[in-house]
Amino acid sequence: MNALIPQIDFMKHVDVEASLADIAARLRAGTIVPYLGPGLAELSKPDAPMNPEALAAFFGTKVALPRRAKGNAWAAAQHIESMKHRSTVTALMTEAFAAPVAPTPLHHYLASLRLPMIVDTWYDGAMRSALGQRNDWGEIQGITRAGIGEDRWYRFYDAAGAEADRVAAGTWATILYKPHGSVVPAKNFLISDADYVEVLTEIDIQTPIPDAVKDRRTERSFVFIGCRFNDQLLRTYARQITKRSAAMHYVIIQPETLSKNEIRFFIGQGLTPIAIPLDRAIEILLAAA
């Protein structure tokens, strides 16, 4: 067992159920923000690569990668961009996520709640699809600044997929925030190392974080669902997106899969770990609805 695991107060079964019931109540009240990782949509067994390692493997089936890029999606995309063209990266990302990812029951439930904000950190369109029965929401996506000739970090899209603006975003009942972009509606992808250079330079002072996201995180907690933090980039984004929000946050985890860096991140961020398989956690959340 990982030597760091005892440093976290992993919850016992009764505490897990009570905590998930509390999270369900706070979701209904709109005081907690779901922060979704690819592990949630992966439960629908899609054809798309649903973690960075799988995405790197997909790139490796299309292009011969150097050793340093194998297993690393960001480095693999950078190699392809450098050796070929940015359009090749976009085309491969579009191919990887061409098959629609079916929303899970939790996606549909979250869509029904009219939450002020949902953060979704993977490139699929499952959460957008679940929200599709409504017209009072919109999406903010991180965008690559490579070659666009604009001083912009993100774009706004309404429920129909048409580009909108920050004024419209202020009126949306629910904001879906996709910090790394998405295949829908406009194929925006932050994926290569170069994409992240400027973002990571500025993210500590919050410039790449939309004002609407900053407003809606204030005094709210976050619950991390289907997320892994075994990469520094993913930890940095989570830290900066949740900055200046409420003090109490939760993360659903399976202790035996965690890396030392993930455990240190949980401790450093003061996250409350809920040790339970994700599918079981979802059952409890939905039963408490």
Side-chain angles (χ1 to χ4, degrees):
M1 179 178 288
N2 194 312
L4 286 176
I5 286 180
Q7 296 183 37
I8 299 185
D9 182 21
F10 284 112
M11 296 181 171
K12 299 186 183 298
H13 184 70
V14 63
D15 295 323
V16 165
E17 298 218 6
S19 294
L20 288 171
D22 179 62
I23 288 169
R26 295 184 66 186
L27 284 169
R28 292 193 298 273
T31 60
I32 193 166
V33 176
Y35 190 112
L36 310 180
L40 174 58
E42 191 172 17
L43 293 176
S44 67
K45 297 181 169 42
D47 292 331
M50 297 307 290
N51 58 61
E53 295 77 18
L55 182 53
F58 169 80
F59 286 141
T61 67
K62 304 297 179 178
V63 177
L65 298 174
R67 181 179 300 177
R68 63 174 179 78
K70 291 180 178 178
N72 185 312
W74 337 121
Q78 184 60 51
H79 173 77
I80 295 168
E81 184 173 315
S82 299
M83 298 302 293
K84 294 181 178 290
H85 194 272
R86 175 68 194 195
S87 61
T88 304
V89 176
T90 300
L92 289 177
M93 287 293 288
T94 302
E95 180 182 346
F97 295 94
V101 176
T104 66
L106 185 61
H107 284 106
H108 286 296
Y109 176 63
L110 295 176
S112 75
L113 293 178
R114 286 174 165 73
L115 294 160
M117 183 165 67
I118 301 168
V119 180
D120 184 359
T121 60
W122 202 234
Y123 303 102
D124 63 276
M127 193 65 238
R128 168 172 271 273
S129 178
L131 286 161
Q133 300 303 310
R134 297 168 45 191
N135 58 13
D136 60 348
W137 65 280
E139 184 171 357
I140 308 177
Q141 295 186 356
I143 60 172
T144 178
R145 285 155 60 91
I148 66 171
E150 303 173 44
D151 186 23
R152 301 175 68 181
W153 299 95
Y154 39 82
R155 286 196 169 101
F156 305 86
Y157 299 93
D158 65 19
E163 190 163 353
D165 58 28
R166 68 183 67 244
V167 175
T171 69
W172 294 334
T174 297
I175 286 177
L176 172 60
Y177 179 39
K178 302 276 285 188
H180 303 279
S182 176
V183 68
V184 289
K187 301 180 178 62
N188 293 313
F189 304 113
L190 272 78
I191 180 61
S192 71
D193 284 336
D195 288 342
Y196 288 108
V197 168
E198 289 184 309
V199 177
L200 295 178
T201 299
E202 297 278 340
I203 201 167
D204 190 52
I205 58 173
Q206 297 280 286
T207 309
I209 309 295
D211 289 340
V213 172
K214 296 175 189 176
D215 291 342
R216 297 195 187 204
R217 73 186 176 188
T218 303
E219 297 183 359
R220 290 188 170 94
S221 300
F222 284 77
V223 55
F224 296 93
I225 303 171
C227 299
R228 291 298 304 271
F229 297 105
N230 51 347
D231 185 283
Q232 179 62 32
L233 175 67
L234 303 177
R235 295 192 292 271
T236 297
Y237 263 79
R239 188 180 298 114
Q240 296 301 332
I241 289 171
T242 61
K243 184 180 282 188
R244 302 188 183 95
S245 56
M248 176 67 76
H249 307 296
Y250 304 87
V251 57
I252 297 171
I253 54 92
Q254 292 187 254
E256 65 276 8
T257 68
L258 297 178
S259 68
K260 291 182 180 179
N261 283 334
E262 286 178 287
I263 295 171
R264 292 190 180 100
F265 174 71
F266 298 157
I267 294 170
Q269 293 302 113
L271 302 183
T272 299
I274 301 178
I276 186 173
L278 181 57
D279 54 354
R280 177 58 183 147
I282 291 171
E283 288 179 5
I284 296 171
L285 286 172
L286 295 178

